[in-house]
Amino acid sequence: LGLDNAATPLGLKAMRELQELNPKKDTATDAMLMFLVLNASGLTLIPIGVMTYRAQMGAANPSDVFLPILIATFMATFVGLLALCIKQRINIFDRVILLWGLGLTAFVGGVFYYFSSLPEEKISSYSAFAANSILFTIIVIFIVAGFVKRINVYDAFIEGAKEGFKTAVMIIPYLVAILVAIGIFRASGAMDYIVEGFATVFGWLGIDTEFVGALPTALMKSLSGSGSRGMMVDAMSAYGVDSFVGRVACTVQGSTDTTFYILAVYFGSVGVRKTRYAVGYALLADVIGAISAITVSYFFFK
């Protein structure tokens, strides 16, 4: 639903359960790697956060990035899943994988077809209503499931809050490390040099470089969710909320999740130090998401 860190508690809980099945506690299992890559690719069905920022900055149609983000995030997740299946020698044509893959493709395709047939003014209201309904439904399902299983939901919530506090304390060193690295990267001016380098290379190749203004969002996305949001807002402020660069930045922001934050926090919470090939495949999903976001933005907004 594009609610950023709202997914973190559920992700940490899932990682702890995967760690219970791990025979080598300091080494990531194949299941953990699949879980991390799927999280890093960040499939976003309704980018409610991005649309909210666009609405706050006065966009004429805050939801005009909805369909481009849906395509870009689906491509990132699909490629990440496919690449990891090949790496882990998972049978892609296994019935369970095939049904889930085709089912997800059909669902995303159906959402795209439905919303593409709506007038622009209805996309925003319909998508916001769907996001709020899904979120409310999830909360109700938790309460109903607790009632059916005769679990005191309030007590379970309190216990979960206690565990969450312990987890927060445990992951502080990893958060400090990643935030310091991000600070050094931004303060050193490395990002400016990288963006200028991309602009020079693409200009030399004869490729339109108008999208380059959105690259800081793409580069920061893998490192910091708040940092990339700041870059997105900067792009909309500098170029205009309804400008091509502003829309590209928003599409990139919604295409994937924050790879290094997820790796540091999720693995750090269970004490996994040997992450194997998690970084490479998670960054592959990031790259595919960014390329897809830029490509579909040219298709929708140029």
Side-chain angles (χ1 to χ4, degrees):
L1 299 179
L3 297 176
D4 298 322
N5 294 334
T8 300
L10 296 176
L12 294 176
K13 177 68 174 178
M15 184 59 71
R16 287 197 296 270
E17 293 180 355
L18 288 173
Q19 180 70 337
E20 293 176 1
L21 305 174
N22 186 2
K24 297 181 179 179
K25 300 303 182 182
D26 66 337
T27 305
T29 64
D30 286 353
M32 286 180 172
L33 295 174
M34 179 66 77
F35 179 67
L36 261 295
V37 170
L38 289 177
N39 271 267
S41 64
L43 181 65
T44 304
L45 298 178
I46 303 176
I48 192 67
V50 173
M51 292 192 297
T52 299
Y53 277 104
R54 287 183 54 76
Q56 291 174 346
M57 297 190 68
N61 180 19
S63 63
D64 58 4
V65 296
F66 171 69
L67 294 179
I69 287 176
L70 184 64
I71 296 173
T73 189
F74 175 74
M75 290 301 300
T77 301
F78 178 79
V79 171
L81 174 63
L82 181 62
L84 213 54
C85 282
I86 294 173
K87 174 65 176 179
Q88 297 181 359
R89 297 181 180 179
I90 297 174
N91 180 14
I92 301 174
F93 298 101
D94 177 83
R95 184 177 63 180
V96 174
I97 296 177
L98 198 61
L99 287 175
W100 273 99
L102 293 176
L104 182 60
T105 302
F107 177 77
V108 172
V111 172
F112 176 81
Y113 175 79
Y114 175 72
F115 278 94
S116 63
S117 64
L118 292 176
E120 289 186 355
E121 62 273 9
K122 290 188 177 181
I123 293 179
S124 180
S125 58
Y126 280 26
S127 57
F129 174 77
N132 293 329
S133 299
I134 293 172
L135 186 60
F136 180 75
T137 301
I138 291 173
I139 296 173
V140 171
I141 288 174
F142 279 135
I143 296 175
V144 171
F147 177 78
V148 170
K149 294 190 175 184
R150 297 182 179 180
I151 296 174
N152 188 314
V153 177
Y154 178 77
D155 288 343
F157 175 82
I158 297 301
E159 290 301 317
K162 292 179 180 178
E163 291 182 11
F165 181 77
K166 293 178 182 178
T167 301
V169 173
M170 184 186 304
I171 65 177
I172 284 176
Y174 302 94
L175 284 175
V176 170
I178 192 67
L179 290 175
V180 169
I182 293 168
I184 293 173
F185 178 71
R186 296 184 67 176
S188 66
M191 179 175 293
D192 295 333
Y193 288 115
I194 293 174
V195 172
E196 291 174 4
F198 273 114
T200 301
V201 171
F202 286 124
W204 181 73
L205 293 174
I207 299 174
D208 180 56
T209 59
E210 189 175 354
F211 71 91
V212 171
L215 282 183
T217 304
L219 294 173
M220 188 56 66
K221 184 62 180 177
S222 298
L223 299 172
S224 167
S226 58
S228 62
R229 282 194 299 274
M231 294 297 179
M232 176 188 71
V233 172
D234 286 346
M236 289 191 288
S237 299
Y239 296 93
V241 65
D242 288 325
S243 66
F244 177 71
V245 173
R247 286 167 167 164
V248 174
C250 291
T251 306
V252 169
Q253 174 69 15
S255 64
T256 57
D257 212 323
T258 310
T259 293
F260 286 102
Y261 170 84
I262 291 174
L263 291 173
V265 172
Y266 283 25
F267 280 141
S269 68
V270 295
V272 170
R273 297 182 179 180
K274 299 177 182 179
T275 60
R276 300 167 66 194
Y277 46 83
V279 174
Y281 281 78
L283 288 179
L284 171 64
D286 280 353
V287 171
I288 295 299
I291 294 174
S292 299
I294 294 170
T295 303
V296 298
S297 293
Y298 272 94
F299 178 79
F300 276 90
F301 305 128
K302 291 292 285 185

